[in-house]
Amino acid sequence: MVRFGLLGCGRIGQVHARAIQASPDAKLVAVADAFDAPAQALAAGTDAEVRKAADIIEGDDIDAVLIGTPTTTHYDLIHQAARAKKAIFCEKPVDLSSERVRDCVEVVNQNGVMFLTAFNRRFDPNFANLQNRIAGGDIGDVELVTILSRDPSPPPINYIRTSGGLFRDMMIHDLDMARFILGEEPVTVFAVGSSLVDPEIGKAGDVDTAAVTLTTGSGKICQISNSRRAAYGYDQRLEVHGSKGMLRAENILENTVEMATQTGFARAPAQHFFLERYEAAYLAEITHFIDCLKNGTNPSPHIEDGLRAQILADAAAKSQETGMPVSV
Amino acid sequence: MVRFGLLGCGRIGQVHARAIQASPDAKLVAVADAFDAPAQALAAGTDAEVRKAADIIEGDDIDAVLIGTPTTTHYDLIHQAARAKKAIFCEKPVDLSSERVRDCVEVVNQNGVMFLTAFNRRFDPNFANLQNRIAGGDIGDVELVTILSRDPSPPPINYIRTSGGLFRDMMIHDLDMARFILGEEPVTVFAVGSSLVDPEIGKAGDVDTAAVTLTTGSGKICQISNSRRAAYGYDQRLEVHGSKGMLRAENILENTVEMATQTGFARAPAQHFFLERYEAAYLAEITHFIDCLKNGTNPSPHIEDGLRAQILADAAAKSQETGMPVSV
Amino acid sequence: MVRFGLLGCGRIGQVHARAIQASPDAKLVAVADAFDAPAQALAAGTDAEVRKAADIIEGDDIDAVLIGTPTTTHYDLIHQAARAKKAIFCEKPVDLSSERVRDCVEVVNQNGVMFLTAFNRRFDPNFANLQNRIAGGDIGDVELVTILSRDPSPPPINYIRTSGGLFRDMMIHDLDMARFILGEEPVTVFAVGSSLVDPEIGKAGDVDTAAVTLTTGSGKICQISNSRRAAYGYDQRLEVHGSKGMLRAENILENTVEMATQTGFARAPAQHFFLERYEAAYLAEITHFIDCLKNGTNPSPHIEDGLRAQILADAAAKSQETGMPVSV
Amino acid sequence: MVRFGLLGCGRIGQVHARAIQASPDAKLVAVADAFDAPAQALAAGTDAEVRKAADIIEGDDIDAVLIGTPTTTHYDLIHQAARAKKAIFCEKPVDLSSERVRDCVEVVNQNGVMFLTAFNRRFDPNFANLQNRIAGGDIGDVELVTILSRDPSPPPINYIRTSGGLFRDMMIHDLDMARFILGEEPVTVFAVGSSLVDPEIGKAGDVDTAAVTLTTGSGKICQISNSRRAAYGYDQRLEVHGSKGMLRAENILENTVEMATQTGFARAPAQHFFLERYEAAYLAEITHFIDCLKNGTNPSPHIEDGLRAQILADAAAKSQETGMPVSV
């Protein structure tokens, strides 16, 4: 039985709390939040008790710390938890600065603690199935990867301002997915971006529409595009072209009903956003982490994966600013 | 080079004229129609000359007669053409009376002329592909056949009145398709029908919505449903469930474009009607007939297939009237 | 908080136990089973205690009895629970004899207890969405309903022998769905059936492949087909043709991944069986029942719906045996 | 009646000859080819006579010259035909050198002759429908365009050597499509490319797998990817993300049949190559050209469109060679 302490009782913390409770091999022992109300609310709905974060991290009855707090707090919490020899499940991004992520890698490695960087999409059953078949050689060698990823609507402008920008906040998922699928590290990054969705995003110094091209040492190519808005729901697609064929994962629609009328055939919009779209992924993610603790195996994606994705996001941001490709 | 004489220059006659012209192995020598204008128009657009039907049938420069005239005239034309030893390509139905079709079978067989009953759907590349794979054993033994067939809108009420009724006029295509797919003769027919689309059709003594169940000697089952109206175009679907799997042919939409908006994903309506939907089938049909003439092989579907479909249509009409299943 | 007692700890009982536990408004108080092991196992995984069925039914701390025991026991348990004034959630079929279902209707009505007949498919989000849109007039008047329902593989022959036959055991779901969609009672039933999947099923006096045609007073038509085996998974489709268009619900595949190779485009099989396919439906079903108890509203489908479906299943069985349509 | 002279009787010349013959408003008067056999063969299958190219261009009985000869000959033929005041239908690319295309633009404009650059994909009914709906505002402002274009298999290495390279030979179609859809000129081009399909292509100095990013002045973004090989047929897809939704055109499969077995649901490969895939487009293209001649309107895409696409292809080639984005 893996005993969890949860740091951060916001939206994503609640998702993970439910996933922990659904596991027969885990128990949510304690929760902490900077604000009392969400912590109390989450504790009330579970058997967990409310504690201070430091007490959770140091607690003898805690095996693993799940970090779902704001990104700026990750650095300190990772250091404390690593030194307290706790296994760490940390939301993405590890930190907005690659330098600081490197420090985290060091403290995690020095203390030999388990660490999972929560790139949830790797655990989506569809994307996982696709990657598994690539690894099994179903389409031969990977040549061209196309990732289309669009949010249903932009976050509040205040969120944008502290988000680290589209490449570090949103596209980092796709950059990790690119590494997951390419099976080889990208060596050049070229990015373009525009503010087409909301001029306020442009004024805040960010872009809301962007495209990235990655190339690897052996010449594999990956194209990613992002938009902060999609009228038809949360658009999450992945396609891989290989020497023997093509694999792609389509969107999941809200239902399977199709209506045919004079204007044609109509189906439902895509599932609206990530809580719904990646519900199964969140469950699989926590299950993988628990299994690793039970079996003493190393979680994947590890903190190094968090670092590599961060480096690609930094490179993309730099490329978009300078208009030049960036080597990594 | 197969030299054709065309009897009947209406809509379906024009379709076949174009198909003959597109063949490198055939030539349209002469055309005939009860009215002068359509015959002249069709001749003007081709190299054919206008003749009287009897002259075409007796013509030394004619190898094959294509009968596209109204159904009531088929009987006499078939008799004349068979006696003149011409190959015969005859539009469905051969005749509205099974008795009279039997006479036609006799005269065709006595004179040893080639005969194709123009059930165009057998030549649709999709349905032909499906049937071919069934024959090749791709899904094992056929167990359940489902045929969904709906016209975009009902024909004029005057047409309905002389059509022989839905079972003989419209469903006969599906009854032939059932035989084509089942690979075994139906032995019982059960039919129900209603007038839901247009009460005038009911007043004319016909139905516009109908469903038929066929069973074969070995227990295979086929369900057919028809409607004289479909808001979304010409609905032509076929599905076969077998011991090892399922095969189905979906509708062909007007284009491949899909639009996604707030209300979901929208595609075009189905191709509107038979001239468009079965364009490739008409071409393949005439090509098969020409190949049979060139190679001395027997066309299929033959006049006996026309007879068998007629017998099933008669049985369906009787079952719908009496409310009882009919053995055939 | 609705306090449940669960009778029957087999596969379906476990499904409902999980659904009760997932509800914030319900509590599983006690469980019973004819055998000790499954009862103990289910109690161990929940906070429920093991009791005798009679003690659950009479228990002061029980609001609702969930009957998931073998069909033959339903009759007595319903009578006892109704007299004990417990709300009743009863698995389908209520009983294999319509006469005995009528007795159950009487005792339920006399005692004024709530009753849900657990036709789970009505609660499937896709079918529910489809029915809701029909009720809202999206496709005008219903004219033709097509229901395709196939199990992945036949149950053990011993199950077949006591199942009441395909029409009462399997097609009863589709007959209920037909009533749900038609919005009008069927008045004639015609059925055909064969033993094509496994000759042992035929020797046991049952069929494994069947087709039914229903008609209503106003002339609406419904075609249903069933097979006890589908190579490609659990096939559950529904299509409704109306005066203004068509609505259909397609199968749910195991994942959204598509692979394209030399042989074409390949997608996953359909979700394999009912526990997976109807997981969301089971949850929605128990939620509806709990909501009814909270709000004092009448559950639907009610016991009368169970009776109507049973009468249709009886008629279908009789029609298949006699070869004649049956009026209901 | 538009009287055509055809220069070049190879594969594409034959396609256009058939399209001319199918038009009621055009006549193929004469054909020419550097080799006698193909010219004689094409003439034999039509009513056209064989002439020398110069005689066709100067012929009084010729209204329009269709140039389907090897690219290197286009320059001279365009100059001669323009001076002879003939309307010109010219296969893409106009020339492999933008400088020389500029000369052609000049001679065409000076002589005021009609000119169509035969970017056939604009005439595909699906892509045309999509573009038409974008122009009509169906998805608001265009923001992100994704073009996926893959040939079924690479051309012979000898063809590669004189092709001008992937960007000028193959991607030029997609670059034209990008302009067609974006509705705004690209201002930067970034390209990457690899030789992954066949090392011989790399040795010949070309790439076989490539990706391009275009940006326009207002910040619209277009991503294109190409491969010289796709196991599953000719892959031709287009997707446009706009402020109000998304439009996409999917591949056309060889047939509509779907088979379901234990391994899942399987459909046919994509139509194999351009003659089949763009059959309707070739017909629409020649029809547009003929209509322009009849009505005195300007064909589109015009020679300037050929020039703009060439400039983009040059920029892409340069970007791929230098690793740097190129402004245009």
Side-chain angles (χ1 to χ4, degrees):
Chain A
M1 185 69 63
V2 176
R3 298 165 300 170
F4 274 90
L6 172 66
L7 310 182
C9 298
R11 192 167 52 175
I12 196 67
Q14 293 164 31
V15 167
H16 292 308
R18 275 196 297 274
I20 291 167
Q21 283 194 292
S23 168
D25 296 320
K27 188 176 157 61
L28 183 61
V29 173
V31 301
D33 197 278
F35 298 93
D36 198 48
Q40 293 296 348
L42 187 48
T46 63
D47 293 331
E49 59 182 48
V50 177
R51 293 188 197 164
K52 288 185 178 171
D55 294 342
I56 288 178
I57 291 172
E58 301 295 335
D60 285 346
D61 57 348
I62 301 290
D63 302 310
V65 170
L66 195 156
I67 302 177
T69 52
T71 303
T72 49
T73 67
H74 289 184
Y75 184 91
D76 288 345
L77 294 172
I78 290 168
H79 278 71
Q80 292 164 27
R83 286 168 189 148
K85 306 293 184 193
K86 297 294 192 267
I88 302 171
F89 178 116
C90 183
E91 265 307 314
K92 52 69 40 184
V94 176
D95 192 275
L96 290 177
S97 147
S98 303
E99 262 329 294
R100 285 162 59 92
V101 179
R102 280 202 177 84
D103 290 349
C104 293
V105 171
E106 203 175 333
V107 75
V108 164
N109 288 343
Q110 278 174 351
N111 288 282
V113 296
M114 285 190 176
F115 192 103
L116 179 90
T117 308
F119 284 123
N120 56 301
R121 293 184 197 174
R122 291 198 186 201
F123 297 94
D124 173 71
N126 305 296
F127 295 144
N129 175 286
L130 189 154
Q131 193 273 339
N132 195 45
R133 289 159 76 174
I134 288 171
D138 284 18
I139 57 164
D141 296 326
V142 171
E143 294 174 354
L144 273 170
V145 177
T146 308
I147 301 176
L148 302 169
S149 173
R150 299 163 192 160
D151 286 349
S153 51
I157 196 75
N158 282 336
Y159 174 90
I160 294 275
R161 287 203 182 93
T162 62
S163 68
L166 179 143
F167 298 103
R168 290 183 188 90
D169 176 58
M170 178 179 177
M171 197 183 281
I172 194 164
H173 276 295
D174 306 300
L175 294 165
D176 177 65
M177 189 57 75
R179 291 184 63 246
F180 185 51
I181 296 296
L182 286 167
E184 199 178 298
E185 292 300 330
V187 294
T188 69
V189 180
F190 178 74
V192 295
S194 307
S195 170
L196 301 175
V197 173
D198 183 354
E200 290 303 313
I201 294 175
K203 286 182 199 162
D206 199 3
V207 297
D208 49 38
T209 305
V212 158
T213 307
L214 306 174
T215 60
T216 72
S218 73
K220 300 180 200 303
I221 298 170
C222 173
Q223 285 185 313
I224 302 170
S225 66
N226 276 186
S227 172
R228 285 286 196 185
R229 178 251 297 114
Y232 48 93
Y234 189 38
D235 192 352
Q236 297 282 290
R237 285 174 289 155
L238 171 58
E239 165 171 336
V240 187
H241 180 74
S243 54
K244 293 184 186 162
M246 192 251 285
L247 276 163
R248 60 177 170 178
E250 257 295 327
N251 282 310
I252 305 176
L253 306 192
E254 283 179 359
N255 58 60
T256 66
V257 179
E258 184 170 40
M259 181 159 75
T261 61
Q262 272 187 299
T263 55
F265 289 75
R267 292 182 299 154
Q271 288 187 341
H272 190 66
F273 211 8
F274 65 93
L275 295 181
E276 182 185 14
R277 172 66 181 82
Y278 288 119
E279 189 182 358
Y282 288 120
L283 216 59
E285 186 179 47
I286 207 87
T287 300
H288 168 69
F289 184 71
I290 292 166
D291 286 350
C292 287
L293 262 74
K294 283 171 58 184
N295 305 328
T297 51
N298 217 12
S300 171
H302 200 265
I303 190 166
E304 277 87 2
D305 295 299
L307 175 60
R308 297 299 313 174
Q310 198 66 35
I311 289 169
L312 291 176
D314 286 352
K318 187 177 165 196
S319 173
Q320 190 264 321
E321 284 156 27
T322 62
M324 290 292 133
V326 172
S327 297
V328 287
Chain B
M1 186 68 63
V2 177
R3 299 166 298 171
F4 274 91
L6 172 66
L7 310 182
C9 298
R11 191 167 54 174
I12 196 68
Q14 293 164 32
V15 167
H16 292 308
R18 275 196 297 275
I20 291 166
Q21 283 195 290
S23 169
D25 296 321
K27 188 174 158 57
L28 183 61
V29 173
V31 302
D33 198 277
F35 299 92
D36 197 48
Q40 294 294 349
L42 188 48
T46 63
D47 294 331
E49 59 182 46
V50 177
R51 294 188 195 164
K52 289 186 180 170
D55 294 342
I56 287 178
I57 291 172
E58 301 296 334
D60 284 346
D61 58 348
I62 301 289
D63 303 310
V65 169
L66 195 155
I67 302 176
T69 50
T71 302
T72 49
T73 68
H74 289 184
Y75 183 91
D76 287 345
L77 295 172
I78 290 169
H79 277 70
Q80 294 164 26
R83 285 167 189 150
K85 306 292 183 193
K86 298 292 191 266
I88 303 171
F89 179 117
C90 184
E91 264 307 314
K92 51 76 31 187
V94 176
D95 191 277
L96 290 176
S97 145
S98 304
E99 262 330 294
R100 284 161 60 90
V101 179
R102 278 201 179 86
D103 291 347
C104 293
V105 172
E106 203 174 335
V107 76
V108 164
N109 289 344
Q110 277 172 351
N111 289 283
V113 296
M114 286 194 175
F115 192 103
L116 178 90
T117 308
F119 285 122
N120 58 302
R121 294 185 196 173
R122 292 197 185 202
F123 298 93
D124 173 70
N126 305 296
F127 296 144
N129 175 287
L130 190 153
Q131 193 274 339
N132 196 44
R133 289 159 77 172
I134 287 171
D138 284 18
I139 57 164
D141 296 324
V142 170
E143 295 174 353
L144 273 170
V145 177
T146 308
I147 301 176
L148 302 169
S149 172
R150 298 162 192 161
D151 285 350
S153 52
I157 196 75
N158 282 338
Y159 176 90
I160 294 274
R161 285 202 184 95
T162 61
S163 68
L166 179 143
F167 297 104
R168 291 183 188 90
D169 175 59
M170 178 179 176
M171 197 183 280
I172 194 164
H173 276 295
D174 306 300
L175 294 165
D176 177 65
M177 189 57 75
R179 291 184 63 246
F180 186 51
I181 296 296
L182 286 166
E184 199 178 298
E185 292 300 330
V187 294
T188 69
V189 181
F190 178 75
V192 295
S194 307
S195 169
L196 302 175
V197 172
D198 182 353
E200 290 303 312
I201 294 175
K203 285 183 199 160
D206 199 3
V207 296
D208 50 39
T209 305
V212 157
T213 306
L214 306 174
T215 60
T216 72
S218 74
K220 300 181 200 304
I221 299 169
C222 172
Q223 286 185 313
I224 301 170
S225 65
N226 274 187
S227 171
R228 284 286 194 184
R229 178 250 297 115
Y232 48 93
Y234 190 37
D235 192 351
Q236 297 281 290
R237 286 173 289 156
L238 171 59
E239 165 172 336
V240 187
H241 181 75
S243 55
K244 293 183 186 163
M246 189 250 286
L247 276 164
R248 59 177 171 179
E250 258 294 327
N251 283 308
I252 304 176
L253 305 192
E254 284 179 358
N255 59 60
T256 67
V257 179
E258 184 170 41
M259 180 160 75
T261 60
Q262 272 188 299
T263 54
F265 289 76
R267 292 182 298 154
Q271 287 187 342
H272 190 67
F273 211 9
F274 64 94
L275 295 180
E276 182 184 16
R277 172 67 181 81
Y278 288 119
E279 189 182 357
Y282 288 119
L283 216 58
E285 186 178 47
I286 206 87
T287 301
H288 168 69
F289 183 71
I290 291 166
D291 287 349
C292 286
L293 261 73
K294 284 170 58 184
N295 305 327
T297 51
N298 218 11
S300 171
H302 201 264
I303 190 166
E304 277 86 3
D305 295 299
L307 175 60
R308 297 300 314 175
Q310 198 65 36
I311 289 170
L312 291 176
D314 287 350
K318 186 176 166 195
S319 173
Q320 191 264 320
E321 285 156 26
T322 61
M324 290 291 132
V326 172
S327 296
V328 286
Chain C
M1 187 67 65
V2 176
R3 298 165 300 171
F4 274 91
L6 172 66
L7 311 181
C9 298
R11 191 167 55 173
I12 196 67
Q14 292 163 32
V15 167
H16 292 307
R18 276 197 296 275
I20 291 167
Q21 283 193 291
S23 168
D25 296 322
K27 189 176 156 60
L28 182 61
V29 173
V31 302
D33 198 276
F35 298 92
D36 198 47
Q40 294 295 349
L42 187 49
T46 64
D47 294 330
E49 58 182 46
V50 177
R51 295 188 195 163
K52 289 186 176 169
D55 294 341
I56 286 178
I57 290 171
E58 300 296 334
D60 284 345
D61 58 348
I62 301 290
D63 302 310
V65 170
L66 196 157
I67 302 176
T69 51
T71 302
T72 49
T73 67
H74 288 184
Y75 184 90
D76 287 345
L77 294 172
I78 290 169
H79 277 72
Q80 292 164 26
R83 285 168 189 148
K85 307 293 185 194
K86 297 293 191 265
I88 302 171
F89 178 118
C90 184
E91 263 308 313
K92 53 71 35 185
V94 175
D95 192 276
L96 290 176
S97 146
S98 303
E99 261 330 294
R100 284 162 59 92
V101 179
R102 280 204 177 85
D103 290 349
C104 293
V105 171
E106 201 174 335
V107 75
V108 164
N109 288 343
Q110 276 173 352
N111 288 282
V113 296
M114 285 190 176
F115 192 103
L116 179 90
T117 308
F119 284 123
N120 57 302
R121 293 184 197 175
R122 291 197 185 202
F123 297 94
D124 173 70
N126 305 296
F127 296 145
N129 175 286
L130 190 153
Q131 193 274 340
N132 197 43
R133 289 160 76 172
I134 288 171
D138 284 18
I139 57 164
D141 296 326
V142 170
E143 294 174 354
L144 273 171
V145 177
T146 308
I147 300 175
L148 302 169
S149 173
R150 299 162 192 161
D151 285 350
S153 51
I157 196 75
N158 281 337
Y159 176 90
I160 294 274
R161 286 201 184 93
T162 62
S163 69
L166 179 143
F167 298 103
R168 290 182 188 91
D169 176 58
M170 178 179 177
M171 197 183 282
I172 194 164
H173 276 295
D174 306 299
L175 294 165
D176 178 65
M177 188 58 75
R179 292 184 62 246
F180 186 50
I181 296 295
L182 285 166
E184 200 178 298
E185 292 300 330
V187 294
T188 68
V189 180
F190 178 75
V192 295
S194 307
S195 170
L196 302 174
V197 173
D198 183 354
E200 290 303 312
I201 294 175
K203 285 183 199 159
D206 200 3
V207 295
D208 50 39
T209 305
V212 158
T213 306
L214 306 174
T215 60
T216 72
S218 74
K220 299 180 200 306
I221 298 169
C222 174
Q223 286 185 313
I224 301 170
S225 66
N226 275 186
S227 171
R228 285 287 195 185
R229 177 250 297 114
Y232 49 93
Y234 189 38
D235 192 352
Q236 297 281 289
R237 285 173 289 156
L238 171 59
E239 165 172 336
V240 187
H241 181 74
S243 54
K244 293 182 186 164
M246 190 250 285
L247 276 164
R248 59 177 171 178
E250 258 294 326
N251 282 309
I252 304 176
L253 305 191
E254 283 179 359
N255 59 59
T256 66
V257 179
E258 185 171 38
M259 181 159 75
T261 61
Q262 272 188 299
T263 56
F265 289 76
R267 292 181 298 154
Q271 288 188 340
H272 190 67
F273 211 10
F274 65 93
L275 295 180
E276 182 184 15
R277 172 66 181 80
Y278 288 119
E279 189 182 357
Y282 287 120
L283 216 59
E285 186 179 48
I286 207 87
T287 300
H288 168 68
F289 183 71
I290 292 166
D291 286 349
C292 286
L293 262 73
K294 283 171 59 184
N295 304 327
T297 52
N298 218 11
S300 171
H302 200 262
I303 190 166
E304 276 85 3
D305 294 300
L307 175 60
R308 297 300 313 176
Q310 198 65 33
I311 290 169
L312 292 175
D314 286 352
K318 187 176 165 196
S319 173
Q320 189 265 322
E321 285 157 25
T322 62
M324 289 293 133
V326 172
S327 297
V328 287
Chain D
M1 186 68 64
V2 176
R3 297 166 300 171
F4 274 90
L6 172 66
L7 310 183
C9 299
R11 191 167 54 173
I12 196 68
Q14 293 164 31
V15 167
H16 293 307
R18 276 196 296 275
I20 291 167
Q21 283 194 292
S23 168
D25 296 320
K27 188 174 157 59
L28 183 61
V29 173
V31 302
D33 198 277
F35 298 94
D36 197 48
Q40 294 295 350
L42 188 48
T46 64
D47 294 330
E49 59 182 47
V50 178
R51 295 189 195 162
K52 289 188 178 167
D55 294 341
I56 287 179
I57 290 172
E58 300 297 334
D60 284 346
D61 58 348
I62 302 289
D63 302 309
V65 170
L66 196 156
I67 304 176
T69 51
T71 303
T72 49
T73 67
H74 289 184
Y75 184 91
D76 287 345
L77 294 171
I78 290 169
H79 277 70
Q80 292 164 26
R83 286 170 189 148
K85 307 293 184 193
K86 297 293 191 267
I88 303 171
F89 178 117
C90 184
E91 263 308 315
K92 53 67 44 183
V94 176
D95 191 276
L96 291 176
S97 146
S98 303
E99 261 330 294
R100 285 161 59 90
V101 179
R102 278 202 179 85
D103 290 349
C104 293
V105 171
E106 204 174 332
V107 75
V108 164
N109 288 343
Q110 277 172 352
N111 288 284
V113 297
M114 286 192 177
F115 192 103
L116 178 89
T117 308
F119 285 123
N120 57 301
R121 294 186 196 172
R122 290 198 187 202
F123 298 94
D124 173 70
N126 305 296
F127 296 145
N129 175 285
L130 190 154
Q131 193 274 340
N132 196 44
R133 288 159 77 173
I134 288 170
D138 284 19
I139 57 164
D141 297 325
V142 170
E143 295 174 354
L144 274 170
V145 176
T146 309
I147 301 176
L148 302 169
S149 172
R150 299 162 192 161
D151 285 350
S153 52
I157 197 73
N158 281 338
Y159 176 89
I160 294 275
R161 286 202 184 93
T162 62
S163 69
L166 179 142
F167 297 104
R168 290 183 190 90
D169 176 59
M170 178 180 178
M171 197 184 280
I172 194 164
H173 277 295
D174 306 299
L175 294 165
D176 178 65
M177 189 57 76
R179 291 183 64 246
F180 186 50
I181 296 296
L182 285 166
E184 200 178 299
E185 292 300 329
V187 294
T188 69
V189 180
F190 178 75
V192 297
S194 308
S195 170
L196 302 174
V197 173
D198 183 352
E200 290 303 313
I201 294 175
K203 285 183 199 160
D206 199 2
V207 296
D208 51 37
T209 305
V212 158
T213 306
L214 306 174
T215 59
T216 71
S218 74
K220 300 181 200 304
I221 298 169
C222 173
Q223 286 185 312
I224 301 170
S225 66
N226 274 186
S227 171
R228 284 286 194 185
R229 178 250 298 114
Y232 49 93
Y234 189 37
D235 192 352
Q236 296 282 289
R237 286 173 288 155
L238 171 58
E239 164 172 336
V240 187
H241 181 74
S243 54
K244 292 183 186 163
M246 191 250 285
L247 276 163
R248 58 177 171 180
E250 258 294 327
N251 282 311
I252 304 176
L253 305 191
E254 283 179 358
N255 59 58
T256 67
V257 179
E258 184 171 40
M259 180 161 74
T261 61
Q262 272 187 300
T263 55
F265 289 76
R267 292 181 299 154
Q271 287 187 343
H272 190 66
F273 210 9
F274 64 95
L275 295 181
E276 182 184 17
R277 172 66 180 82
Y278 288 119
E279 188 182 359
Y282 287 119
L283 217 58
E285 187 179 45
I286 206 86
T287 300
H288 168 69
F289 183 71
I290 292 166
D291 287 347
C292 286
L293 261 74
K294 284 171 55 185
N295 305 327
T297 51
N298 219 11
S300 170
H302 201 264
I303 190 166
E304 277 86 3
D305 295 299
L307 175 60
R308 297 299 314 175
Q310 199 65 34
I311 290 170
L312 292 175
D314 286 351
K318 187 176 164 195
S319 174
Q320 190 264 320
E321 285 156 27
T322 61
M324 289 292 132
V326 172
S327 295
V328 286

